[in-house]
Amino acid sequence: MEGGKPNLTLVYQAVQALYHDPDPAGKERASVWLGELQRSMYAWEISDQLLQLKQDVESCYFAAQTMKMKIQTSFYELPPETHNALRDSLLTHIQNLKDLSPIIVTQLALAIADLALQMASWKGCVHTLIEKYNNDISSMPFLIEILTVLPEEVHSRSLRIGANRRTEIIEDLAYYSSTVVTLLTTCVEKTGNDEKMFIKVFRCLGSWFNLGVLDSNFMASNQLLMVLFQVLQRDETSTNLHEAASDCVCSALYAIENVDTHLPLALQLFQGVLTLETAYHMAVAREDLDKVLNYCRIFTELCETFLETTVRSPGQGMGDLRTLELLLICAGHPQYEVVEISFNFWYRLGEHLYKINDAALHTIFRPYIQRLLHCLARHCQLDPDHEGIPEDTDDFGEFRMRVSDLVKDVIFLVGSMECFSQLYSTLKEGNPSWEVTEAVLFIMAAIAKSVDPENNPTLSEVLQQVVLLPENVHIAVRYTSIELVGEMSEVVDRNPRFLDPVLNYLMKGLREKPLASAAAKSIHNICSVCRDHMAQHFHGLLDIARSLDTFALSTEAAVGLLKGTALVLARLPLEKIAECLSDLCAVQVLALKKLLTDESTNGKSADPTVWLDRLAVIFRHTNPIVENGQTHPCQKVIQEIWPVLSETLNTHQADNRIVERCCRCLRFAVRCVGKGSASLLQPLVTQMVSVYQVYPHSCFLYLGSILVDEYGMEEGCRQGLLDMLQALCMPTFQLLEQANGLRNHPDTVDDLFRLATRFVQRSPVTLLSSSVIIHIIQCAIAAASLDHRDANCSVMKFVRDLIHTGVANDHEEDFEVRKQLIGQAMEQHGQQLVTQLMHSCCFCLPPYTLPDVAEVLWEVMLFDRPTFCRWLESALKGLPKETTGGAVTVTHKQLTDFHKQVTSAEECKQVCWAIREFTRLFR
């Protein structure tokens, strides 16, 4: 912070402005200034002073929050000899401020917990806190708050205390856990019916359950467990207390997931939860939805915990099927939010039974799934007074989509065909209301694809009846029937006689605004599945495509229709494809030309992305089978369209979104005709390079990688492609070398290394012999620590593939050259690469990136194991051995064990496992 330590008056004024300044600009200035203060060294002393002065809630909250943040992120700033004073000061503050505000107490409790976890010299912190405060009833609320957040912070992402310290703490907390539970029990006994204290006690107990350190034998006979269930059985329990008790029971059930090792506690919880059925019915009768949802959470957690027991010994002991009855009772509740809580359990049960694949087991569970499906069909019904089509995007629409997914996952237990027939018979034999009909059709659409379409009279009959639905039925029924027809495209493919009536039915829908997008999606499905039968209808599809904008279609539905049309186009005779493709593209090309003309005459800029996206989808899915030696039928069309795309790109070169769509369109055009796009290569590369110098859009790098992929093996193109790479690299490096350049431009990093990787794959010697390779390797080493999924993945893939070229395909004539060039590169950069990778793994990268890093280290080791051993040893020596709080991060034995595991590994996954375990020491 510039200008030295600010005085307290100034800090007070800034805090007041942050909370009370009516001018948003004033608030923003205060926020920025206070943020700078929090990052500075002065924050420690100033927070301490503000808490001591206790002037008002706002300044104390700011100070408490700052303290917590500094301890979490900047604890290394304090010398070890100040740690004791900081601890004593925080304990004094929390005692003095305990009545000011609960949120201040929570912030200070977090600060104390985070300090205890990092301060290795504070031994047995739980014991010292309980000894210090347990006789003072007024200190109890903040003591319990500290004991609640302490176990929660053990696995905190913002504290990198490392696996050694974490293990030490968990052992310590397990040792004192029964002391904590005894304290909580005493608390409940002493405070009588103080609801706030009960809530605190349950939250604290839940927190210790979540950490998994409570002794299950001790807990099974503990008074607190009885109190929990008494609270949940009582009708007069308040909403807040009910929620806290429910959370605690759910945590307990989650903690005993490995039932066999916690039998006494498992039995107590199992029996306790089964006693809550009456309380659930009482909550339903009182229309208390909050409590109903809580009970359903508990019943679901019970079923999840005892899932394996239930499947292993259904109906016996703790495999008692009353647990499933409880969930089905909840499924019968009129509010769909209640049944939705249990979806994950039903999905897991289905998955378990599918893997075991035991017919006798399926028979036991089938009736439960049948009843569930019955409930789900009822929950999917729209309101009888609903107007218009079903909404996809509101909460109920999302619920129906989740039902559809669940039904697909569990239908095998009931049998798709059996269920489909039953549903159809309810429509055929009864005379259901429109909302029942629509819900039944919705469930039928969910399972239609899993019914075998071969010689299936029921499916044929359903299709026949659906396309004969009169136009005066409720529009929602027509909407869902159109979706059902789309899902039954396999049946149409097996029974081509239905194609005409189905298309006529869908065309009717296409002409009606509310049904148009659903009809378009179903036509797209029919085109994808019935490509050969649809060839005779191509001109009909072409007519639709020409007048696409006269239908009320969503962007997605319009693009889907064009995709369907392109898929069918690719099945036409080769000599017809060029003319038909030209016709299909004509509408979009004319629209683009018109936009360009309008712009040059009246200077107004219009958005061409709709037309570019439509051209892209046509090129992407027009993939006819072309024999060797034949000219690609799409080549001529793409050459004719290139000038319009080129001009559109030039006109909108400053607009990243439009340039991205242009590049996407060109990418699919190049992919469509492959080597047939050779005549575009020179003008396209020239234009890309010239625009990129001024506007470095990363999509040009991506397009470059497509060109290298298509032409990199052609001897005559290699030098031109290398020139392109070098020309694109100059502005790229300038961009990435700015302050925070790598972090601010992850897309550029991603696309640059995709391009470089394509070069390594297609023409490694060209790249390795060039002067640009050194800069690309240096950039890759710098970007190895970048925490961005796609960018990091591209960097690692590049380095891995690069080194792999030094050992791969040793029978090829350029092998010795490749090996020598990789050897030179590794000699220059190997140590730096290994050191950076180890540092990134330990301090920068999330665990999901580790398999990619392991593959790079594996390749370095395959290339030259003895040298790699030395590099790794040197990298490990540079890692810190202790935390600032004095805890051991990594022992000498752990370092040597890790070195041995990696260097003696016989396959890559052993390296990956070793890194996973090792990096936990630093997290």
Side-chain angles (χ1 to χ4, degrees):
M1 204 166 191
E2 289 172 29
K5 179 183 159 191
N7 67 33
L8 284 183
T9 317
L10 200 57
V11 179
Y12 273 122
Q13 285 169 354
V15 172
Q16 287 305 308
L18 181 66
Y19 287 101
H20 303 295
D21 193 330
D23 173 20
K27 274 187 192 300
E28 182 57 30
R29 280 196 301 276
S31 174
V32 170
W33 189 83
L34 289 169
E36 276 181 32
L37 170 62
Q38 284 183 317
R39 285 187 292 277
S40 74
M41 275 293 289
Y42 305 118
W44 295 102
E45 191 184 340
I46 284 175
S47 314
D48 191 51
Q49 289 174 336
L50 290 175
L51 290 165
Q52 236 165 347
L53 291 166
K54 196 178 166 181
Q55 189 156 335
D56 53 32
V57 172
E58 285 100 343
S59 61
C60 287
Y61 176 69
F62 169 75
Q65 189 198 32
T66 303
M67 258 315 176
K68 178 202 74 178
M69 201 178 86
K70 294 297 282 184
I71 290 171
Q72 274 182 353
T73 60
S74 312
F75 189 55
Y76 61 85
E77 292 177 351
L78 294 181
E81 61 272 17
T82 61
H83 294 173
N84 283 343
L86 175 62
R87 175 193 62 196
D88 298 342
S89 163
L90 286 171
L91 291 172
T92 307
H93 291 320
I94 200 167
Q95 187 151 27
N96 291 341
L97 297 164
K98 62 179 182 279
D99 302 321
L100 188 60
S101 158
I103 54 171
I104 292 171
V105 171
T106 300
Q107 293 297 311
L108 287 171
L110 282 164
I112 291 162
D114 291 341
L115 177 64
L117 296 177
Q118 295 180 89
M119 186 174 155
S121 59
W122 187 0
K123 304 284 184 204
C125 64
V126 171
H127 181 65
T128 53
L129 288 167
I130 291 178
E131 277 217 323
K132 189 174 169 91
Y133 297 115
N134 77 333
N135 292 324
D136 173 16
I137 196 78
S138 70
S139 302
M140 212 43 83
F142 77 73
L143 172 60
I144 292 179
E145 188 65 30
I146 298 172
L147 293 175
T148 303
V149 297
L150 185 63
E152 289 171 352
E153 290 295 287
V154 170
H155 292 291
S156 161
R157 289 274 174 88
S158 32
L159 295 180
R160 300 184 75 98
I161 55 175
N164 287 335
R165 174 66 179 152
R166 197 170 281 112
T167 305
E168 185 188 332
I169 288 160
I170 289 172
E171 284 170 2
D172 197 44
L173 294 184
Y175 183 75
Y176 290 111
S177 61
S178 43
T179 315
V180 172
V181 175
T182 308
L183 172 79
L184 296 177
T185 314
T186 316
C187 220
V188 164
E189 288 164 358
K190 274 188 188 168
T191 53
N193 288 329
D194 178 354
E195 184 182 298
K196 281 187 178 168
M197 185 54 83
F198 269 60
I199 291 174
K200 283 184 175 300
V201 166
F202 291 158
R203 267 194 58 224
C204 185
L205 183 61
S207 173
W208 286 73
F209 267 128
N210 286 335
L211 190 62
V213 291
L214 294 180
D215 181 302
S216 55
N217 291 336
F218 176 73
M219 283 313 300
S221 55
N222 191 273
Q223 182 73 23
L224 269 185
L225 214 54
M226 281 167 53
V227 175
L228 257 181
F229 285 111
Q230 283 165 2
V231 165
L232 288 168
Q233 284 157 357
R234 274 207 307 271
D235 185 31
E236 61 275 12
T237 299
S238 74
T239 306
N240 289 344
L241 180 56
H242 198 275
E243 187 172 358
S246 302
D247 289 344
C248 187
V249 170
C250 288
S251 297
L253 285 164
Y254 187 76
I256 58 153
E257 195 128 46
N258 193 349
V259 173
D260 297 337
T261 56
H262 300 286
L263 280 175
L265 179 57
L267 189 60
Q268 289 298 319
L269 288 168
F270 186 85
Q271 291 169 342
V273 175
L274 288 181
T275 65
L276 299 178
E277 186 183 337
T278 317
Y280 168 82
H281 288 302
M282 184 61 81
V284 173
R286 291 194 183 279
E287 296 187 3
D288 189 337
L289 185 61
D290 289 332
K291 285 187 180 177
V292 167
L293 291 167
N294 285 336
Y295 289 125
C296 188
R297 281 196 298 131
I298 294 172
F299 299 156
T300 303
E301 201 63 64
L302 177 78
C303 288
E304 296 245 23
T305 295
F306 291 97
L307 172 62
E308 288 188 21
T309 315
T310 312
V311 172
R312 198 171 55 223
S313 51
Q316 296 164 29
M318 286 187 277
D320 192 328
L321 294 172
R322 278 186 297 166
T323 54
L324 297 192
E325 288 289 349
L326 287 175
L327 280 198
L328 288 172
I329 291 170
C330 292
H333 190 279
Q335 299 275 5
Y336 70 83
E337 294 91 341
V338 180
V339 69
E340 195 169 15
I341 289 171
S342 64
F343 278 14
N344 189 54
F345 164 74
W346 293 113
Y347 164 72
R348 280 186 60 204
L349 175 66
E351 197 178 32
H352 252 69
L353 293 170
Y354 187 77
K355 278 181 188 161
I356 295 169
N357 195 14
D358 174 341
L361 264 183
H362 288 194
T363 311
I364 294 172
F365 289 98
R366 183 171 297 125
Y368 293 94
I369 299 297
Q370 281 170 329
R371 285 163 60 194
L372 174 70
L373 291 175
H374 185 76
C375 290
L376 292 176
R378 202 181 63 253
H379 279 299
C380 283
Q381 289 173 21
L382 298 160
D383 287 334
D385 57 358
H386 178 90
E387 291 179 4
I389 61 170
E391 286 292 333
D392 285 346
T393 49
D394 62 2
D395 288 347
F396 185 54
E398 285 178 12
F399 166 74
R400 290 191 4 143
M401 292 321 295
R402 289 194 65 197
V403 168
S404 177
D405 292 341
L406 179 60
V407 169
K408 289 183 176 93
D409 287 329
V410 298
I411 195 65
F412 72 92
L413 280 164
V414 180
S416 318
M417 189 57 231
E418 188 187 328
C419 183
F420 197 83
S421 302
Q422 275 179 2
L423 288 165
Y424 178 49
S425 63
T426 61
L427 296 182
K428 196 165 71 167
E429 288 154 20
N431 183 18
S433 58
W434 76 263
E435 68 275 12
V436 172
T437 303
E438 190 279 334
V440 169
L441 290 171
F442 177 77
I443 302 289
M444 286 169 78
I447 56 179
K449 276 192 178 145
S450 57
V451 181
D452 182 7
E454 276 301 335
N455 303 325
N456 196 320
T458 308
L459 286 177
S460 305
E461 191 183 332
V462 168
L463 204 49
Q464 257 169 324
Q465 291 303 315
V466 167
V467 299
L468 293 174
L469 271 173
E471 287 188 28
N472 62 353
V473 297
H474 193 293
I475 196 155
V477 175
R478 288 181 62 203
Y479 179 89
T480 304
S481 70
I482 285 171
E483 290 196 321
L484 173 59
V485 170
E487 292 296 310
M488 294 176 74
S489 41
E490 296 275 357
V491 185
V492 181
D493 193 43
R494 307 291 162 93
N495 302 279
R497 67 180 190 281
F498 288 136
L499 192 56
D500 283 1
V502 161
L503 287 176
N504 288 336
Y505 182 67
L506 296 177
M507 278 308 298
K508 273 188 215 161
L510 196 61
R511 292 190 190 97
E512 284 186 51
K513 188 177 178 181
L515 305 174
S517 291
K521 191 178 167 193
S522 289
I523 294 173
H524 164 204
N525 276 358
I526 302 271
C527 289
S528 304
V529 175
C530 317
R531 288 167 76 171
D532 293 323
H533 299 309
M534 282 298 291
Q536 58 181 332
H537 290 279
F538 179 74
H539 287 287
L541 289 170
L542 191 55
D543 289 339
I544 296 174
R546 281 189 181 127
S547 52
L548 211 48
D549 293 312
T550 61
F551 304 108
L553 296 176
S554 67
T555 310
E556 189 188 355
V559 165
L561 255 179
L562 287 173
K563 175 184 170 183
T565 310
L567 288 170
V568 176
L569 167 64
R571 291 296 168 94
L572 298 181
L574 273 191
E575 65 277 4
K576 290 193 176 171
I577 289 180
E579 186 193 343
C580 292
L581 177 65
S582 188
D583 286 348
L584 187 55
C585 295
V587 179
Q588 346 299 329
V589 174
L590 283 170
L592 287 172
K593 281 182 178 167
K594 186 173 183 309
L595 290 182
L596 291 167
T597 323
D598 290 355
E599 193 156 329
S600 58
T601 51
N602 63 20
K604 257 203 345 227
S605 180
D607 187 352
T609 52
V610 171
W611 312 107
L612 292 168
D613 287 351
R614 289 181 184 182
L615 279 176
V617 81
I618 294 168
F619 295 144
R620 184 178 190 173
H621 297 286
T622 306
N623 41 19
I625 298 157
V626 182
E627 303 294 333
N628 270 348
Q630 287 180 310
T631 304
H632 199 292
C634 304
Q635 190 174 322
K636 181 168 163 287
V637 182
I638 287 171
Q639 278 167 350
E640 287 166 4
I641 292 175
W642 157 248
V644 181
L645 293 176
S646 172
E647 199 182 335
T648 303
L649 180 56
N650 253 348
T651 305
H652 298 280
Q653 55 181 283
D655 187 324
N656 182 56
R657 189 177 65 94
I658 297 175
V659 171
E660 210 162 65
R661 301 304 234 293
C662 276
C663 285
R664 187 168 173 272
C665 188
L666 286 162
R667 159 192 164 194
F668 289 123
V670 170
R671 287 289 196 210
C672 174
V673 292
K675 305 280 183 294
S677 58
S679 62
L680 300 186
L681 197 54
Q682 187 63 49
L684 174 55
V685 167
T686 307
Q687 187 172 2
M688 281 165 57
V689 167
S690 107
V691 175
Y692 193 78
Q693 305 299 319
V694 189
Y695 300 107
H697 302 299
S698 74
C699 52
F700 285 125
L701 300 171
Y702 188 89
L703 187 53
S705 73
I706 303 293
L707 296 175
V708 172
D709 195 35
E710 291 291 343
Y711 293 99
M713 310 281 274
E714 305 287 307
E715 193 56 56
C717 299
R718 284 176 169 170
Q719 188 54 46
L721 290 169
L722 181 65
D723 294 343
M724 172 193 79
L725 173 68
Q726 288 177 318
L728 292 173
C729 275
M730 296 315 290
T732 304
F733 292 147
Q734 283 170 3
L735 186 70
L736 298 179
E737 281 163 8
Q738 294 169 3
N740 290 326
L742 293 165
R743 192 175 306 135
N744 294 342
H745 302 283
D747 293 348
T748 301
V749 176
D750 182 13
D751 292 330
L752 170 69
F753 286 102
R754 271 177 201 267
L755 170 56
T757 303
R758 288 291 190 209
F759 237 113
V760 168
Q761 291 165 346
R762 294 287 174 260
S763 182
V765 175
T766 311
L767 180 62
L768 285 163
S769 315
S770 72
S771 57
V772 78
I773 186 64
I774 288 189
H775 304 291
I776 294 177
I777 292 174
Q778 285 168 342
C779 184
I781 292 172
S785 60
L786 186 60
D787 174 10
H788 182 281
R789 189 183 287 265
D790 294 338
N792 194 278
C793 184
S794 285
V795 172
M796 294 303 161
K797 183 165 175 39
F798 163 72
V799 181
R800 185 194 70 200
D801 286 8
L802 182 77
I803 299 164
H804 189 66
T805 52
V807 292
N809 302 327
D810 52 6
H811 56 279
E812 290 176 5
E813 58 187 52
D814 65 353
F815 173 66
E816 285 305 325
V817 181
R818 278 187 279 126
K819 188 177 172 185
Q820 184 196 347
L821 289 168
I822 293 294
Q824 287 167 3
M826 291 310 291
E827 205 175 310
Q828 255 181 305
H829 305 287
Q831 178 67 72
Q832 194 190 353
L833 173 67
V834 173
T835 303
Q836 173 75 325
L837 287 175
M838 285 313 305
H839 184 273
S840 300
C841 281
C842 294
F843 302 109
C844 311
L845 298 178
Y848 66 75
T849 59
L850 298 182
D852 294 340
V853 178
E855 286 187 10
V856 175
L857 293 173
W858 174 249
E859 288 297 341
V860 178
M861 189 157 70
L862 284 187
F863 185 74
D864 183 349
R865 199 176 281 252
T867 311
F868 171 74
C869 292
R870 289 202 307 277
W871 287 339
L872 182 61
E873 185 181 348
S874 167
L876 294 176
K877 278 180 179 163
L879 292 173
K881 313 295 183 286
E882 264 194 12
T883 66
T884 43
V888 173
T889 307
V890 57
T891 63
H892 179 70
K893 184 178 185 313
Q894 284 169 326
L895 286 169
T896 51
D897 285 354
F898 172 68
H899 187 275
K900 188 178 174 189
Q901 282 166 349
V902 173
T903 53
S904 63
E906 286 173 14
E907 49 185 343
C908 184
K909 64 180 175 190
Q910 293 171 314
V911 176
C912 186
W913 290 332
I915 290 180
R916 238 182 240 290
E917 283 307 307
F918 183 71
T919 53
R920 285 197 181 115
L921 299 170
F922 297 87
R923 285 189 201 287

